[in-house]
Amino acid sequence: MILGTICVRAGSKGVPGKNIRPLCGKPMILYTIDAAKKAAALDDIIISTDSEEAARLGKDAGINVPFMRPENLSNDRAGKWEVFKHALTEYEKVSNKSFEYLVDLDVTAPLKSSEDINAVIEFAKKHSDADLIYCGYEPDRNPYFTMVEINKSGYAELVKTSDTAIVRRQDAPEVYSLSSAVIVIKKEALLKYSHWTECKCKIFKLPRERAMDVDTELDFKFAEFLIQNKNN
């Protein structure tokens, strides 16, 4: 069985209250809830949150909120991996169900579709050797070409280097920006490892316009533009 999780934290520093903030007149959490409800590949869906308002919106939309997230997993220092573990293990206890995969659907990526969710899950089943599937899209910058870091001497140098200098962006190795739109994790890997970087991971390519994360006010405005443009 496959468990879909919508993990929502009450606090947000970049965009205050963004998870329940109206986006084109609709609380942002509802975009993910609507997509999840239409995704046939999900056997069950729950919300993990410390926000009473997010819980209310979820329940009103017909999504199960089996428990409120504990305080130690609700601050800005808590890692999502531990939140995932808590959601899965606690829900298995209260529901007497057992799941093979956890599929997290991040509210801050509101433009994903139910088709995207189904496709990533199908990709995970096809690549059953992988512990985790992350969505990725082509980034604005490439670390082999236009991304630098400051070294110990105070000088800028490329984040990634190659055997020969890369003079055209097209010649740089393919890299991806990660998106939290849809993350598929094997239960055994979730319980075994302490961080996703320990997993065998594969990338599912998602179009940038549906993969974007809303982390800043500018992102929020861009998401509004994309939704309005789609509706028009």
Side-chain angles (χ1 to χ4, degrees), residues 58-79:
K59 290 175 182 177
D60 287 349
I63 302 297
N64 188 7
V65 186
F67 42 74
M68 297 300 288
R69 192 190 306 176
E71 184 177 350
N72 67 307
L73 294 177
S74 301
N75 57 55
D76 58 6
R77 298 182 301 277

Side-chain angles (χ1 to χ4, degrees), residues 36-54:
K37 289 173 66 176
K38 295 175 184 175
L42 296 173
D43 296 305
D44 207 341
I45 309 166
I46 65 169
I47 289 177
S48 167
T49 187
D50 64 321
S51 165
E52 294 289 347
E53 180 62 12

Side-chain angles (χ1 to χ4, degrees), residues 28 136 196:
M28 189 159 71
W196 76 266

Side-chain angles (χ1 to χ4, degrees), residues 189-208:
L190 180 61
L191 300 181
K192 178 179 179 180
Y193 301 118
S194 60
H195 194 265
W196 76 266
T197 52
E198 300 173 51
C199 297
K200 291 187 293 183
C201 177
K202 283 188 175 291
I203 296 295
F204 181 89
K205 298 179 184 179
L206 199 62
R208 184 180 176 189

Side-chain angles (χ1 to χ4, degrees), residues 11-230:
S12 173
K13 292 181 178 179
V15 183
K18 66 180 176 182
N19 293 313
I20 58 175
R21 178 175 167 180
L23 175 62
C24 292
K26 173 178 169 180
M28 189 159 71
I29 188 175
L30 292 184
Y31 288 90
T32 292
I33 287 175
D34 290 346
K37 289 173 66 176
K38 295 175 184 175
L42 296 173
D43 296 305
D44 207 341
I45 309 166
I46 65 169
I47 289 177
S48 167
T49 187
D50 64 321
S51 165
E52 294 289 347
E53 180 62 12
R56 183 190 67 79
L57 287 168
K59 290 175 182 177
D60 287 349
I63 302 297
N64 188 7
V65 186
F67 42 74
M68 297 300 288
R69 192 190 306 176
E71 184 177 350
N72 67 307
L73 294 177
S74 301
N75 57 55
D76 58 6
R77 298 182 301 277
K80 284 291 283 283
W81 198 257
E82 292 305 315
V83 171
F84 297 159
K85 283 185 180 180
H86 174 268
L88 176 67
T89 57
E90 290 302 308
Y91 187 57
E92 285 191 331
K93 288 178 186 177
V94 300
S95 66
N96 290 318
K97 297 177 182 179
S98 181
F99 297 92
E100 183 181 2
Y101 287 97
L102 178 145
V103 179
D104 189 65
L105 309 169
D106 202 308
V107 173
T108 64
L111 296 168
K112 61 183 171 293
S113 67
S114 57
E115 290 80 11
D116 293 328
I117 298 169
N118 289 334
V120 181
I121 293 171
E122 185 61 32
F123 184 82
K125 291 178 178 179
K126 182 178 179 181
H127 298 276
S128 58
D129 57 315
D131 298 316
L132 179 145
I133 308 298
Y134 234 120
C135 289
Y137 61 94
E138 184 180 358
D140 290 331
R141 297 286 183 264
N142 189 300
Y144 288 91
F145 188 61
T146 52
M147 290 184 69
V148 299
E149 59 186 353
I150 306 302
N151 62 26
K152 293 180 180 180
S153 300
Y155 296 105
E157 60 184 23
L158 283 169
V159 173
K160 296 280 287 184
T161 58
S162 58
D163 294 336
T164 57
I166 295 172
V167 297
R168 300 191 316 153
R169 178 182 58 82
Q170 296 90 336
D171 297 329
E174 189 173 24
V175 297
Y176 297 94
S177 280
L178 294 179
S179 167
S180 57
V182 185
I183 306 172
V184 181
I185 314 166
K186 277 186 177 177
K187 172 185 172 180
E188 60 186 85
L190 180 61
L191 300 181
K192 178 179 179 180
Y193 301 118
S194 60
H195 194 265
W196 76 266
T197 52
E198 300 173 51
C199 297
K200 291 187 293 183
C201 177
K202 283 188 175 291
I203 296 295
F204 181 89
K205 298 179 184 179
L206 199 62
R208 184 180 176 189
E209 65 271 16
R210 300 203 303 276
M212 71 164 293
D213 290 305
V214 176
D215 293 322
T216 66
E217 286 290 343
L218 182 60
D219 293 336
F220 199 92
K221 291 176 181 178
F222 187 43
E224 286 183 319
F225 168 80
L226 290 174
I227 292 170
Q228 290 167 352
N229 188 61
K230 179 181 178 182

